Amino acid sequence: DTAVSQTPKYLVTQMGNDKSIKCEQNLGHDTMYWYKQDSKKFLKIMFSYNNKELIINETVPNRFSPKSPDKAHLNLHINSLELGDSAVYFCASSQDWGAGELFFGEGSRLTVL
Amino acid sequence: GEDVEQSLFLSVREGDSSVINCTYTDSSSTYLYWYKQEPGAGLQLLTYIFSNMDMKQDQRLTVLLNKKDKHLSLRIADTQTGDSAIYFCAENKGQGNLIFGKGTKLSVKP
């Protein structure tokens, strides 16, 4: 049983399109995150949600909108995709919002052409 | 500095010890972490250290913390080819906001 699963694993799309990445965790954790890893492997937090409420919203363009229908799911919707959005997006979860032990999904590689 | 700093590459021979260094930014960080990322996978927590500790040992892993210099290191004893991965140090800024270094790619040669 995969603890943190995200789909799709690979996504290739054209500039200007809208796409979504889904994430689910079956660990019973309260907090979920989206991280972006660029081509140089630099990893930066985008959002975190605790019990469906937004806790962290780093400087991310408005084109990125997270949605948490329940505490086990955190989806990421991206509007009007740009070349610079190409990256690997990682979903993660932790037991609560103060915890530093994050459980990561396998990543979703987004390529914008 | 503003960033968590790590050297980008380290190459060792199988059986040697590896030492990966990190400089973090916030002396008030309570916990510091080492994560491992294998190719094509997400990050996995390897170990962590509480800020009031100088050293933590966990099997082949030894973490050393120098709070005065804000320096963290990870030593892997008897490095194996399976240890080849990218290693990230991270500090906890609170509310689960982990600030990661850029990662050190460890290559282990047979």
Side-chain angles (χ1 to χ4, degrees):
Chain A
D1 249 1
T2 306
V4 180
S5 58
Q6 43 184 123
T7 56
K9 193 165 181 175
Y10 299 97
L11 190 50
V12 180
T13 189
Q14 300 284 336
M15 274 175 57
N17 283 352
D18 303 338
K19 290 294 176 187
S20 293
I21 308 172
K22 295 185 175 181
C23 179
E24 175 181 6
Q25 54 97 0
N26 64 4
L27 297 166
H29 288 169
D30 285 344
T31 310
M32 295 185 72
Y33 310 80
W34 278 109
Y35 278 82
K36 179 180 179 181
Q37 187 175 46
D38 64 22
S39 58
K40 294 183 179 177
K41 302 296 185 185
F42 184 48
L43 196 68
K44 192 168 164 61
I45 193 168
M46 300 173 71
F47 303 102
S48 77
Y49 271 71
N50 187 61
N51 271 320
K52 302 193 298 174
E53 289 192 25
L54 182 65
I55 301 295
I56 293 173
N57 182 354
E58 289 295 298
T59 309
V60 175
N62 290 339
R63 299 181 294 103
F64 290 78
S65 52
K67 283 191 173 51
S68 183
D70 55 61
K71 75 173 193 176
H73 295 84
L74 180 61
N75 304 322
L76 183 66
H77 189 74
I78 315 169
N79 289 327
S80 303
L81 280 156
E82 299 177 0
L83 293 176
D85 297 332
S86 295
V88 181
Y89 292 85
F90 285 99
C91 177
S93 72
S94 64
Q95 191 160 5
D96 56 53
W97 61 265
E101 182 177 9
L102 271 57
F103 292 77
F104 282 81
E106 292 189 340
S108 297
R109 181 177 292 277
L110 171 64
T111 303
V112 183
L113 303 175
Chain B
E2 292 281 325
D3 297 331
V4 176
E5 300 282 351
Q6 302 178 236
S7 53
L8 295 182
F9 300 99
L10 177 64
S11 181
V12 300
R13 293 217 171 268
E14 197 171 17
D16 287 350
S17 291
S18 307
V19 180
I20 302 170
N21 294 304
C22 169
T23 305
Y24 60 97
T25 64
D26 190 345
S27 57
S28 65
S29 292
T30 313
Y31 286 94
L32 296 145
Y33 306 86
W34 283 104
Y35 279 80
K36 177 183 181 183
Q37 185 180 27
E38 296 184 353
L43 280 71
Q44 184 177 21
L45 180 66
L46 264 185
T47 187
Y48 64 91
I49 188 166
F50 188 48
S51 60
N52 70 352
M53 298 168 67
D54 297 325
M55 185 181 91
K56 180 179 179 181
Q57 186 146 6
D58 184 0
Q59 299 181 343
R60 293 191 297 122
L61 305 178
T62 303
V63 179
L64 295 178
L65 175 60
N66 179 332
K67 277 193 74 175
K68 177 175 167 290
D69 295 336
K70 289 185 276 188
H71 184 263
L72 184 72
S73 69
L74 174 70
R75 179 177 180 269
I76 306 172
D78 187 24
T79 313
Q80 303 296 307
T81 54
D83 295 323
S84 293
I86 301 175
Y87 291 81
F88 292 88
C89 72
E91 58 179 336
N92 193 342
K93 289 288 202 179
Q95 298 187 340
N97 184 4
L98 293 193
I99 305 298
F100 287 88
K102 288 184 170 63
T104 299
K105 184 172 183 177
L106 174 64
S107 298
V108 182
K109 298 179 180 177

